[in-house]
Amino acid sequence: MKGMSVIVKTISSWVKVLIILFGIYIVLFGHLTPGGGFAGGVVLASSYVLLMLAFGREFVLKNLPLSLDSKLDCVGGILFIAIAILGVVFGGVFFKNCFIEYGQKFNLISAGTIPLSNIVIGLKVGASLYLVIFLLSAFRRDDSDEQSVFRSPEEIHDRAMKDEKESN
Amino acid sequence: MIVVFYILLLFMLIAAIIAVETKNLLSAVICVGAIGFGGSLIFLFLRAPDIAITQIVVEVLGLIILIRATIARDLTSISGDREFFGTVVSIVIIFLIFMAGFKVLDSLHDFGTPVYAKTEKAASQTYIEKGLEDTGATNIVSSIILDYRAYDTLGEATVLFTAVIGATVLLRKKSRKSPEVLE
């Protein structure tokens, strides 16, 4: 049985929802209350780190594969530049805060492109931190290998998939 | 308020000394985490909740990674004595930095009276006065990092992206093509 004990698994399966909700709240309300894209993204990444510690690496890989995660990272980066180019299109200046006239101040829909940038940055930071932590945790010496080289994340992914097929 | 700072600073100092002096790697890692949490509490009391949130979350993540790294090792305690010359040199350097820090602290303004508040049309005053009007964001930190100084955030995102690429490339088992094929 992979992962930690039953108590840790039960508690973390309850708590993960709250952590993810808190991360989404920090990202969405970044322009109104303390927080923002970076902090919210780190909270989102830490929820997956909790799942990784409690249920094991393979569970998280089935939930959010590395290929999807790296795509999310790239999409976040591209969308942030797209928001900057929106400024060129609508305001004439790179990173111009356009659409500022929509919504009222102190409301959720306000502040032009700032909430959009917060969401995009949160996506990007969460995805890349999760990727870095996963890579670092998958990085270990494999003594059974003849050359005793470091086992790569792709190989761990392949092995996990193979084990799963065999267990089924 | 100042008393709280001194208590927190004392707590962080004690944690730092224990982290350096203890022989057990796991307790050293936990002490380093305690220093970070003390720092985030200080940020909170200095009315910078944004930095406090980020600091506490990054601290938790870093602590988890460090604990995993120490537990994964067979060796969880350090043995052996320190080199005499290295200890003396580091103590002298730390003392010099300490004296320089005192000099800097003397020349600083009091807490709550920023230097640029006295000059008119300073950038910080403009942000505070016009921030809500210009950007519509109530959180002034957001209005600065995503509107006035959005280029900084773009650079930061690029740095993170580069770090991910570096980690992915360095932790790979072998290159896609062998050197002969590349030549």
Side-chain angles (χ1 to χ4, degrees):
Chain A
M1 193 159 174
K2 277 166 186 162
M4 292 192 180
S5 64
V6 181
I7 301 173
V8 178
K9 280 185 182 175
T10 317
I11 298 282
S12 52
S13 63
W14 292 344
V15 164
K16 75 178 181 222
V17 185
L18 296 179
I19 296 178
I20 292 177
L21 266 181
F22 183 62
I24 292 173
Y25 161 76
I26 283 190
V27 171
L28 282 186
F29 284 72
H31 57 300
L32 300 175
T33 52
F38 193 85
V42 180
V43 172
L44 288 177
S46 72
S47 75
Y48 267 94
V49 173
L50 174 75
L51 287 182
M52 190 159 83
L53 287 176
F55 290 91
R57 221 173 279 139
E58 290 77 16
F59 178 83
V60 184
L61 265 186
K62 265 188 287 177
N63 204 322
L64 181 64
L66 283 190
S67 51
L68 177 65
D69 189 63
S70 57
K71 271 173 203 137
L72 281 180
D73 188 7
C74 299
V75 163
I78 291 171
L79 282 181
F80 190 50
I81 296 179
I83 286 172
I85 292 173
L86 269 186
V88 179
V89 175
F90 288 97
V93 186
F94 201 61
F95 271 121
K96 168 86 179 163
N97 191 353
C98 43
F99 313 128
I100 198 169
E101 61 272 13
Y102 292 102
Q104 282 190 320
K105 278 166 191 167
F106 299 97
N107 279 9
L108 183 58
I109 298 175
S110 63
T113 56
I114 290 181
L116 297 177
S117 318
N118 263 333
I119 294 169
V120 167
I121 295 273
L123 189 71
K124 181 174 166 41
V125 169
S128 30
L129 266 183
Y130 166 72
L131 197 60
V132 166
I133 289 168
F134 188 89
L135 288 173
L136 285 178
S137 78
F139 175 74
R140 62 161 64 157
R141 250 177 223 284
D142 188 4
D143 291 331
S144 63
D145 216 14
E146 68 272 6
Q147 293 165 329
S148 182
V149 287
F150 294 104
R151 206 195 279 179
S152 72
E154 294 100 15
E155 195 185 340
I156 286 179
H157 183 256
D158 293 343
R159 278 190 198 185
M161 292 296 146
K162 211 198 291 171
D163 287 350
E164 193 193 330
K165 269 178 201 161
E166 280 169 6
S167 65
N168 286 339
Chain B
M1 179 54 86
I2 290 293
V3 182
V4 179
F5 286 147
Y6 279 121
I7 293 172
L8 278 172
L9 275 178
L10 194 68
F11 170 71
M12 285 162 71
L13 270 179
I14 293 171
I17 291 170
I18 294 175
V20 173
E21 284 301 323
T22 183
K23 296 276 183 194
N24 193 340
L25 275 182
L26 188 60
S27 43
V29 166
I30 291 171
C31 286
V32 171
I35 301 169
F37 285 119
S40 71
L41 273 179
I42 285 185
F43 283 134
L44 199 60
F45 281 119
L46 285 175
R47 295 174 196 169
D50 291 77
I51 304 175
I53 290 174
T54 313
Q55 164 86 13
I56 209 160
V57 177
V58 170
E59 197 58 48
V60 168
L61 276 184
L63 198 61
I64 287 171
I65 294 171
L66 279 177
I67 286 178
R68 266 198 82 95
T70 35
I71 288 179
R73 293 272 152 75
D74 300 328
L75 186 74
T76 54
S77 62
I78 0 168
S79 54
D81 296 325
R82 292 202 172 78
E83 212 181 325
F84 178 72
F85 181 71
T87 317
V88 170
V89 167
S90 45
I91 285 176
V92 167
I93 290 175
I94 288 171
F95 184 72
L96 286 178
I97 292 174
F98 188 69
M99 296 313 286
F102 257 112
K103 216 53 178 158
V104 171
L105 279 179
D106 272 347
S107 65
L108 277 182
H109 287 237
D110 288 339
F111 176 63
T113 55
V115 183
Y116 290 111
K118 284 167 186 157
T119 49
E120 279 181 37
K121 294 188 177 175
S124 55
Q125 284 306 108
T126 316
Y127 295 154
I128 293 169
E129 282 161 11
K130 300 258 181 77
L132 182 58
E133 211 177 302
D134 282 351
T135 65
T138 5
N139 181 5
I140 193 166
V141 180
S142 268
S143 78
I144 291 173
I145 65 168
L146 291 174
D147 190 315
Y148 292 117
R149 292 273 177 271
Y151 276 102
D152 272 348
T153 314
L154 183 62
E156 195 183 306
T158 317
V159 167
L160 200 59
F161 199 69
T162 321
V164 172
I165 291 175
T168 322
V169 169
L170 284 179
L171 302 182
R172 209 169 46 174
K173 194 175 176 185
K174 48 191 168 190
S175 60
R176 294 256 160 78
K177 285 174 185 168
S178 59
E180 293 85 38
V181 177
L182 283 177
E183 281 165 9

